[in-house]
Amino acid sequence: MKTKTLAAVLALTTALTVAACGDDKAEGTGDTITMMVKLYGTAPNPDGELQKAVEALIGKKLSITWVPDASYNDKANVTLASNNLPDVMVADEKSPSFVKTAEAGAFWDLTGKLDKYPNLKPADAQTAKNSMTNGKTYGIYRVRPLLRSAISIRKDWLAKVGLPAPQTVPELYAIAKAFREQDPDGNGKKDTYGLIIPKWTGKYATASPYDVFETWFGAPNGWGQRDGRYVPGFDTPEFLAANRELKKWVDEGLINPDFATLDTGNWMDPFVQGKGGIIIDVDVRATQLYDLFREKNAKDADKVLMVGNLKRADGQKFSSPFTGYNSVLAISKQRIRTDEQLDQLLQVLDKLEGKEGSILITNGIEGRNFKLDGNYAVPIGLDDPQVKILQNDVSNAFIQLGTRYSVNGGYYPLKPAEEAKLKLIEQRKPMEDEDLKTAVHNPALSVIAPTAIAQGPTLDKIIPDARVKYLSGAITEDGLKAEIKRWYDGGGTKITQEINDLLK
């Protein structure tokens, strides 16, 4: 559906949605809570073991529409442009369709309303700010690590070229160059490279390897202040300096030559296949790589070194954080009409997100599909078909309802059998805590510029496309600057003014 058409539909149907709150059949939640949630596998049976356990805990029936992740955005847009909103839905609170619907009054503004619910109130002030929409909280954020950018490096190659773990960007360059020139795989050929970058389909400032690298150079993370005014990070000298450095890496063959076309689904293949040796991504990437090595040879899996954010050449450190969450649980006003009904629903959600509920939806049923080993969960009974169904319901479905514990761990993180993998997992938290000290947060995450909603689909492509063209040699630095000007001329000037006005 085209943007203008969608906007027109939303304007009409949002009014119908709010008006529908006067329909008697929409009264309250009663004994059943309706939900729309992302799904990553087979949809749970509503009479299944896990759903029954969750319903017994919260004292309510659940009617859940499970939507495959690949089609969730489309389904969400259709749902938002209807008069049949569920009580609770997983929502991208920054999407144009949600913002229009929420600001028209179809969802509860939860600003200041969550503090009396211990398991729903924001656990981190920065994440709470990041998840706001123009100063309002339209949902309960689903927590993720606030800082999980990290570098995975071939440990065996590093030993082969005789270099230590990097602490600075120049040291990472030296490693990439050695991986290119010193035959780290020992096949007698100069056929390896350093850094592996995939085709990045996301917008600017969406935690791509480019964005992280630019942050290391001191560029703002998305938006930042320069001379008392907020500017996009790509309109700074640090952005240009970072990309000059990356272009040098490309020109010297230190980056995979297919960086403009390599599918993200194949990102790890060159690392495991012995073609490249460095990935800048999230910390969980290191354990995923470990698992791939283990599949090839269980006795020779310990080939991954993980380090955190790097200092630039002058010793200053600027770490690249994430938002700290992934979507929110938004509550509609269609059936949840009064403060009393909202309080009743929030009490139920508070119980669901407490310890007992969090264990159910992120780990499962203790003694059934997992047992405890210290503070870790160990899978059990997976040879039983019914236990396999239970585990699917946890890991591919109900975990998406968790707001307090990351889908990468759960209330009890899974304990790997191998000591080397356990060390990678236990390295994450102290590395995150250290890098948070120098994190460069994006001050504009909490605001939505109206022009960005209207013209975003066109403007969002300009900088990422220009960056790749510059790195591949299709345009010069002057050409890159011309594309930045084109962004301003095409609506970016107005967006910048709106961002500055909103942040005041």
Side-chain angles (χ1 to χ4, degrees), residues 341-492:
Q341 290 168 353
L342 177 65
D343 175 64
Q344 291 171 359
L345 178 58
L346 291 175
Q347 287 185 49
V348 172
L349 293 178
D350 187 62
K351 181 171 283 191
L352 180 66
E353 305 300 344
K355 178 179 178 179
E356 191 175 350
S358 292
I359 292 171
L360 276 178
I361 62 178
T362 67
N363 290 113
I365 301 174
E366 186 177 354
R368 186 83 170 106
N369 69 308
F370 79 95
K371 66 178 181 179
L372 285 181
D373 182 352
N375 289 321
Y376 289 95
V378 178
I380 59 172
L382 296 185
D383 292 335
D384 182 337
Q386 293 304 311
V387 174
K388 282 186 177 180
I389 292 173
L390 170 60
Q391 186 59 49
N392 167 78
D393 292 356
V394 174
S395 57
N396 292 324
F398 274 90
I399 198 169
Q400 296 301 317
L401 283 171
T403 63
R404 304 291 283 185
Y405 299 93
S406 169
V407 295
N408 296 323
Y411 189 91
Y412 295 114
L414 288 176
K415 183 175 184 178
E418 304 85 4
E419 186 66 25
K421 184 176 178 181
L422 181 61
K423 285 182 179 179
L424 286 173
I425 292 172
E426 292 184 337
Q427 185 184 345
R428 293 175 191 165
K429 186 62 168 65
M431 192 170 73
E432 175 187 342
D433 290 343
E434 180 60 30
D435 283 355
L436 274 173
K437 297 174 184 176
T438 51
V440 182
H441 296 289
N442 182 354
L445 281 176
S446 61
V447 297
I448 307 291
T451 302
I453 293 177
Q455 298 178 230
T458 301
L459 293 177
D460 288 345
K461 299 176 182 178
I462 293 177
I463 301 305
D465 287 354
R467 181 166 53 188
V468 169
K469 288 178 182 177
Y470 167 71
L471 294 174
S472 60
I475 60 175
T476 63
E477 185 172 313
D478 284 341
L480 177 59
K481 292 176 181 177
E483 288 298 281
I484 294 172
K485 183 177 184 301
R486 185 163 75 91
W487 180 86
Y488 276 112
D489 292 343

Side-chain angles (χ1 to χ4, degrees), residues 285-297:
R285 182 70 66 182
T287 51
Q288 292 170 351
L289 290 163
Y290 181 96
D291 289 341
L292 289 176
F293 279 123
R294 190 179 185 282
E295 288 175 11
K296 292 179 65 176
N297 185 347

Side-chain angles (χ1 to χ4, degrees), residues 186-426:
N187 69 351
K189 300 177 182 179
K190 192 175 178 181
D191 58 356
T192 53
Y193 44 81
L195 181 60
I196 306 163
I197 298 178
K199 177 181 181 181
W200 200 262
T201 57
K203 300 184 293 185
Y204 168 71
T206 52
S208 73
Y210 307 111
D211 300 316
V212 175
F213 201 87
E214 290 153 8
T215 302
W216 292 345
F217 270 69
N221 174 20
W223 291 79
Q225 279 197 321
R226 292 292 187 273
D227 299 322
R229 182 174 173 78
Y230 289 99
V231 299
F234 52 77
D235 189 18
T236 62
E238 295 89 348
F239 172 87
L240 295 174
N243 281 284
R244 276 189 219 113
E245 177 68 15
L246 269 180
K247 189 173 189 317
K248 181 177 79 169
W249 292 34
V250 171
D251 293 345
E252 294 181 4
L254 311 189
I255 295 177
N256 54 305
D258 61 345
F259 70 91
T261 58
L262 177 65
D263 191 280
T264 51
N266 302 324
W267 193 353
M268 296 184 286
D269 292 352
F271 194 99
V272 178
Q273 294 167 357
K275 297 177 182 178
I278 304 168
I279 290 178
I280 300 172
D281 190 34
V282 292
D283 49 19
V284 296
R285 182 70 66 182
T287 51
Q288 292 170 351
L289 290 163
Y290 181 96
D291 289 341
L292 289 176
F293 279 123
R294 190 179 185 282
E295 288 175 11
K296 292 179 65 176
N297 185 347
K299 296 181 180 179
D300 192 27
D302 188 13
K303 291 184 176 180
V304 186
L305 173 78
M306 182 173 67
V307 298
N309 286 256
L310 301 180
K311 301 173 185 176
R312 68 182 183 189
D314 63 1
Q316 291 193 73
K317 187 174 181 181
F318 306 95
S319 297
S320 181
F322 283 63
T323 61
Y325 73 102
N326 182 354
S327 301
V328 300
L329 296 185
I331 301 173
S332 79
K333 285 188 170 181
Q334 192 170 61
R335 296 206 311 158
I336 313 302
R337 304 177 186 176
T338 66
D339 285 314
E340 182 182 1
Q341 290 168 353
L342 177 65
D343 175 64
Q344 291 171 359
L345 178 58
L346 291 175
Q347 287 185 49
V348 172
L349 293 178
D350 187 62
K351 181 171 283 191
L352 180 66
E353 305 300 344
K355 178 179 178 179
E356 191 175 350
S358 292
I359 292 171
L360 276 178
I361 62 178
T362 67
N363 290 113
I365 301 174
E366 186 177 354
R368 186 83 170 106
N369 69 308
F370 79 95
K371 66 178 181 179
L372 285 181
D373 182 352
N375 289 321
Y376 289 95
V378 178
I380 59 172
L382 296 185
D383 292 335
D384 182 337
Q386 293 304 311
V387 174
K388 282 186 177 180
I389 292 173
L390 170 60
Q391 186 59 49
N392 167 78
D393 292 356
V394 174
S395 57
N396 292 324
F398 274 90
I399 198 169
Q400 296 301 317
L401 283 171
T403 63
R404 304 291 283 185
Y405 299 93
S406 169
V407 295
N408 296 323
Y411 189 91
Y412 295 114
L414 288 176
K415 183 175 184 178
E418 304 85 4
E419 186 66 25
K421 184 176 178 181
L422 181 61
K423 285 182 179 179
L424 286 173
I425 292 172
E426 292 184 337

Side-chain angles (χ1 to χ4, degrees), residues 126-160:
Q126 183 65 52
T127 304
K129 180 180 178 181
N130 291 347
S131 68
M132 296 182 86
T133 303
N134 293 338
K136 294 184 178 181
T137 299
Y138 283 117
I140 304 158
Y141 68 75
R142 304 187 310 157
V143 72
R144 300 293 184 272
L146 183 56
L147 202 154
R148 51 186 183 138
S149 50
I151 311 167
S152 297
I153 303 174
R154 282 285 299 249
K155 184 193 296 187
D156 53 333
W157 284 16
L158 205 57
K160 182 76 179 293

